[in-house]
Amino acid sequence: MDLTLSESKKRGEMELQHFSHHHPLLFIQHQSVADKAALCFGCEELVVGPSYGCNGCMYYLHKRCAELELTPHLNHPFHPHHLLTLLPKSAYHCTWKCDFCQRSSSGFVYHCGPCNFNLHINCALLQSSIAPNFPTSLHQHPLFFSQDHNDEVNRDCSGCMKPLFGPIYYCSDCYPSDKCFFILHKQCAEVPLEINHRYDRRKHPLTLLPKRPTHLHNCSCYLCKIKWEGFVYSCSFCKIELPLDDFFSPQTITTANHEHSWTLLSRQRSFVCDFCGTTGDCSHYICAICDLLVHKNCISLPRNILITRHHHVISHSYSLQQQDELCRICYEEVDTRYGSYHCPASGCNYIAHVHCATNKAVWDGKSIPEDYDERSMEALDESINWITDVVEEMSFGEITVTVEIKHAYHDHNLRLTFSGEMNDDGQCDGCMRTVSTPFYSCEQCKFFLHKECAELPRNKRHPFHKHLLTLTKSNTNFYASCSACGRLHHGFSYKCNDGDCRQFFECDIRCILLSDTLEHPSHEHSLFLVHNFSANCNACRRKSDPWNMAYRCTKRCDFTLDLECATLPLTARYKHDRHPLTLTCFDDFDPSQHYCDLCEYERDPNDWFYYCAECDNTLHSGCAFGDLPFLKIGSNLDKSFFGKHPHPFTIVKTIWDCPPCKICGEVCNGQALQCKESECNFSVHWKCSFKPLRF
């Protein structure tokens, strides 16, 4: 791929012409996130140290990412049927997912257009070789061996169903043909095909199978209860089945968390684990001195952890002398005769099930040391914002107000406005909502920030994600998608920059203001946050994807809100109404009134809507805010997002004299896209913009 280095004789500065950006990139010897927040557009990590950048476009690359020797076309074993083409970003979406490691990204990508196949550059550069003599009884295709995948692969081993680490074997044929993956730890790929095990007292050999044998539909054995899908050692005569995790179990285990050794019981029997309170009948360990029976995995439970749902460190205990209480994560009862996590802070009664507190969605997997100082860490994470300088302050009695500031995400000074009427089209460049007082604004350009948005912390912990999140600002030539609600947005967002994170997480400001519980006027009970939950939303009746978040009723009513509906504003404005319209969750109107006054289409009475009782105006929730409510009006979107159209589109908002859409012919009422080039000069709905244009 073309890279050109040149020296500017006048300035004596090194420049790089990189394939990913149309301007030369200037070499920056020392870039610190404390001076200017910047993300590398190649790997999407924070830029610290040497880098290349275009300050006018806020486009930056780590020096190591900018100088990678990447071939423009690649014949890769992960996708052997077509050449992969190197692109600075996905050809179809701002955010894409790597088809090998499953991490989301918007950085550099090796892409196959006909198959819509994408590879991170790190995955594309993995070194591998064909593994000889792998048993065909376990997998029908040849496997490749990789000594070091740099923890890039965000998958579980197909044999033991545990997260991948270290050397791996993988199949490059399964995904293109069967849309499935087959990847193994090195130790799981090299286990014997037959073993003799202490569980089988008849001394029959156990045979390794790629999946457990078929059981009756009402079977309640251990493997059926946990829906085991990996390799299993089986004896069909003795009805014994042993997953790989049990095969690797040692006879004794010693840990720092318990003063005595744990001994493996060689017989399968049903029991309740004293450390987590759930049942089991396989691979359990005993401490005879303390009279404790525990799962193998529970032996290593950390004493202290920090989760996203509570601001204090919580501690594990396997017996609490108190009444049973509700788990503050799932809101079901905790049996305090068995293990749980609780808050030891004075006056705090927070408690959670072990399996809730250690869920990957709420815990980062790290143990907290006994000498952890909560107060200093909270101050470090949440008290510092991106206001880099206070230019002027004013005193009102005993109150001091900052009236002029410098902010890291704008080049000019910003001045505070306390009161006054605002144009409805004015947008806060942080949260992208309509500007309201108090706010900071730039006297030289149309840049606005609500006071609360200007003071947002640089770093924040949040119930939506297990890692620390960092406040960033999007480039208005592109758009981002909120990982919580799915809406497209410009402006500020909080991103995860943890190098070990298995997912791309970015949360807009509207969603970051939510918590793990919600009081909503649509329901009489409190709601609580759930991860990886699929159900029909009571507001829009759409079924969410199984990896999404939602709010459920703490009293177990059949009530669910997805994040998009949970963040709907309680009021909205309509051009023909001088009053605000109120979000209405129940419709007892006459069927003849089930119409939207803006689009004039019929309204489903089961869906939420906006209503003005004084003027009798009713709007679909979508019509009230349009297709692109949180993209910056007037910004130009890169032409590469819109198929083969040669020009960029400008985001416009039309209220009166609305033009027709070039594709569907209906009026573009509200936000739309417009090509302002003289030979085009047309408007198009967002939903129509990806369809072929007709001239």
Side-chain angles (χ1 to χ4, degrees):
M1 187 58 66
D2 235 2
L3 300 177
T4 306
L5 286 170
S6 64
E7 293 288 339
S8 174
K9 295 181 179 179
K10 293 183 180 180
R11 294 178 298 173
E13 296 174 331
M14 187 165 65
E15 292 181 345
L16 172 73
Q17 187 61 57
H18 197 269
F19 80 95
S20 65
H21 194 64
H22 50 284
H23 297 144
L25 304 181
L26 183 67
F27 180 70
I28 304 169
Q29 181 62 47
H30 298 290
Q31 169 119 15
S32 171
V33 295
D35 302 325
K36 189 80 170 180
L39 289 178
C40 173
F41 274 70
C43 67
E44 297 186 296
E45 296 178 5
L46 282 173
V47 174
V48 180
S51 63
Y52 288 90
C54 176
N55 288 324
C57 300
M58 294 184 66
Y59 187 93
Y60 301 98
L61 292 174
H62 289 117
K63 184 175 183 291
R64 65 177 184 272
C65 294
E67 296 178 356
L68 273 175
E69 295 184 5
L70 301 173
T71 177
H73 299 286
L74 188 64
N75 192 343
H76 202 279
F78 293 175
H79 194 69
H81 308 299
H82 303 112
L83 281 176
L84 303 179
T85 302
L86 179 63
L87 301 175
K89 56 184 177 296
S90 170
Y92 304 112
H93 305 284
C94 188
T95 301
W96 52 273
K97 182 175 285 188
C98 175
D99 284 287
F100 182 67
C101 72
Q102 291 297 289
R103 291 186 182 181
S104 296
S105 175
S106 57
F108 296 168
V109 56
Y110 274 102
H111 175 73
C112 173
C115 304
N116 193 19
F117 181 90
N118 299 298
L119 275 184
H120 282 125
I121 54 173
N122 288 344
C123 292
L125 297 177
L126 285 178
Q127 298 296 315
S128 58
S129 58
I130 293 180
N133 303 323
F134 187 79
T136 56
S137 62
L138 298 178
H139 195 68
Q140 68 272 30
H141 302 138
L143 300 186
F144 285 82
F145 176 72
S146 176
Q147 181 64 38
D148 183 11
H149 65 91
N150 298 320
D151 294 326
E152 288 291 334
V153 186
N154 182 22
R155 293 194 173 278
D156 291 334
C157 170
S158 302
C160 68
M161 309 308 295
K162 298 291 183 68
L164 291 169
F165 59 87
I168 60 171
Y169 288 84
Y170 63 89
C171 175
S172 65
D173 294 321
C174 283
Y175 181 80
S177 59
D178 303 328
K179 299 297 180 183
C180 63
F181 287 86
F182 187 84
I183 309 178
L184 296 172
H185 293 116
K186 182 175 184 291
Q187 66 171 2
C188 294
E190 297 174 356
V191 294
L193 297 181
E194 283 190 352
I195 62 169
N196 291 306
H197 199 271
R198 55 186 173 273
Y199 278 0
D200 192 344
R201 302 201 168 198
R202 298 182 186 179
K203 305 302 181 183
H204 295 145
L206 304 184
T207 303
L208 184 63
L209 304 176
K211 59 182 180 180
R212 62 179 177 83
T214 302
H215 288 202
L216 297 175
H217 72 280
N218 60 347
C219 179
S220 60
C221 79
Y222 169 70
L223 295 184
C224 288
K225 283 189 288 188
I226 64 173
K227 297 180 173 60
W228 186 263
E229 296 179 354
F231 288 1
V232 63
Y233 281 104
S234 174
C235 175
S236 58
F237 297 105
C238 302
K239 306 298 181 185
I240 289 178
E241 291 170 1
L242 187 75
L244 285 193
D245 189 45
D246 290 350
F247 169 73
F248 291 124
S249 296
Q251 189 65 37
T252 59
I253 297 178
T254 302
T255 68
N257 294 342
H258 193 70
E259 60 268 34
H260 311 127
S261 295
W262 298 93
T263 303
L264 177 67
L265 291 181
S266 59
R267 296 185 65 180
Q268 291 179 302
R269 70 174 186 179
S270 180
F271 72 103
V272 178
C273 175
D274 287 300
F275 273 16
C276 73
T278 61
T279 60
D281 58 13
C282 197
S283 273
H284 49 298
Y285 284 77
I286 186 172
C287 174
I289 298 174
C290 300
D291 192 24
L292 296 174
L293 277 175
V294 298
H295 297 115
K296 174 190 173 185
N297 291 338
C298 290
I299 290 175
S300 58
L301 283 172
R303 167 67 178 161
N304 302 308
I305 61 175
L306 187 62
I307 63 174
T308 64
R309 303 299 185 86
H310 192 58
H311 54 284
H312 296 145
V313 171
I314 57 176
S315 300
H316 181 257
S317 174
Y318 54 83
S319 180
L320 290 176
Q321 303 301 316
Q322 65 183 57
Q323 295 292 321
D324 292 350
E325 297 186 30
L326 290 182
C327 171
R328 298 288 289 277
I329 297 177
C330 72
Y331 286 85
E332 294 185 354
E333 194 173 86
V334 177
D335 187 343
T336 54
R337 295 176 301 170
Y338 301 101
S340 62
Y341 277 94
H342 69 284
C343 181
S346 176
C348 188
N349 60 355
Y350 189 93
I351 190 169
H353 293 117
V354 167
H355 62 270
C356 290
T358 56
N359 187 293
K360 292 180 181 180
V362 303
W363 178 49
D364 63 3
K366 298 176 182 177
S367 178
I368 300 298
E370 295 290 342
D371 58 352
Y372 175 79
D373 187 348
E374 289 185 357
R375 292 172 298 176
S376 64
M377 290 301 293
E378 285 178 4
L380 173 65
D381 293 341
E382 307 237 357
S383 67
I384 304 173
N385 55 40
W386 282 117
I387 296 176
T388 57
D389 189 22
V390 174
V391 179
E392 183 182 349
E393 294 181 329
M394 293 181 65
S395 296
F396 300 89
E398 297 181 355
I399 301 175
T400 300
V401 178
T402 301
V403 295
E404 189 169 347
I405 62 171
K406 287 184 179 294
H407 197 276
Y409 288 123
H410 194 64
D411 295 330
H412 309 133
N413 289 3
L414 303 177
R415 193 156 186 88
L416 185 65
T417 297
F418 293 96
S419 61
E421 293 187 5
M422 285 299 303
N423 187 327
D424 286 343
D425 290 338
Q427 288 176 281
C428 170
D429 285 87
C431 65
M432 302 311 298
R433 293 177 292 190
T434 301
V435 175
S436 58
T437 54
F439 64 89
Y440 288 98
S441 62
C442 177
E443 296 178 352
Q444 302 180 52
C445 51
K446 292 182 178 180
F447 185 89
F448 304 94
L449 273 184
H450 289 125
K451 185 174 182 293
E452 63 179 349
C453 292
E455 296 171 352
L456 287 168
R458 294 187 185 187
N459 299 302
K460 187 175 182 65
R461 289 190 176 93
H462 198 273
F464 288 173
H465 191 67
K466 61 186 176 183
H467 297 132
L468 193 67
L469 302 176
T470 301
L471 184 66
T472 62
K473 184 178 184 296
S474 68
N475 186 330
T476 54
N477 289 331
F478 307 97
Y479 58 83
S481 175
C482 174
S483 300
C485 69
R487 290 191 184 101
L488 305 179
H489 69 90
H490 284 142
F492 292 175
S493 62
Y494 278 91
K495 286 186 178 181
C496 175
N497 295 304
D498 190 293
D500 296 326
C501 190
R502 299 290 188 174
Q503 68 178 111
F504 178 87
F505 187 86
E506 176 178 359
C507 187
D508 65 26
I509 301 305
R510 292 162 303 284
C511 288
I512 210 71
L513 298 177
L514 295 171
S515 183
D516 60 335
T517 58
L518 178 68
E519 303 292 334
H520 200 276
S522 63
H523 193 65
E524 59 183 326
H525 303 137
S526 298
L527 307 177
F528 72 100
L529 181 69
V530 289
H531 291 264
N532 304 319
F533 181 74
S534 180
N536 291 94
C537 171
N538 284 69
C540 63
R541 296 180 298 113
R542 293 191 300 262
K543 187 169 184 177
S544 60
D545 292 319
W547 55 83
N548 285 353
M549 295 176 285
Y551 284 97
R552 294 185 66 194
C553 177
T554 56
K555 303 295 186 182
R556 289 301 186 270
C557 297
D558 188 19
F559 186 89
T560 302
L561 273 187
D562 64 28
L563 271 293
E564 183 174 355
C565 294
T567 53
L568 283 173
L570 298 182
T571 59
R573 288 284 181 180
Y574 174 44
K575 63 183 179 181
H576 292 304
D577 199 320
R578 65 181 184 274
H579 312 110
L581 280 68
T582 303
L583 179 63
T584 306
C585 309
F586 307 99
D587 190 346
D588 55 1
F589 296 173
D590 186 274
S592 63
Q593 294 182 288
H594 291 162
Y595 287 88
C596 172
D597 286 298
L598 181 60
C599 70
E600 300 183 350
Y601 283 111
E602 189 173 358
R603 212 174 28 81
D604 191 315
N606 295 308
D607 291 343
W608 290 3
F609 60 98
Y610 285 88
Y611 178 63
C612 174
E614 294 188 51
C615 302
D616 196 30
N617 282 321
T618 307
L619 268 65
H620 290 117
S621 59
C623 291
F625 297 102
D627 292 334
L628 308 170
F630 304 117
L631 294 188
K632 180 71 172 177
I633 302 299
S635 59
N636 294 322
L637 294 181
D638 192 283
K639 63 185 180 181
S640 64
F641 291 124
F642 304 102
K644 297 182 179 180
H645 190 66
H647 311 131
F649 281 104
T650 302
I651 301 173
V652 297
K653 185 175 183 179
T654 55
I655 305 269
W656 312 102
D657 300 323
C658 304
C661 172
K662 181 73 175 178
I663 300 295
C664 69
E666 297 187 9
V667 294
C668 294
N669 200 331
Q671 301 96 341
L673 302 176
Q674 188 177 71
C675 179
K676 295 187 174 182
E677 296 295 325
S678 57
E679 64 267 33
C680 295
N681 193 25
F682 64 85
S683 297
V684 62
H685 293 120
W686 170 261
K687 62 185 178 182
C688 298
S689 62
F690 296 95
K691 299 176 182 178
L693 296 174
R694 299 189 300 270
F695 291 92

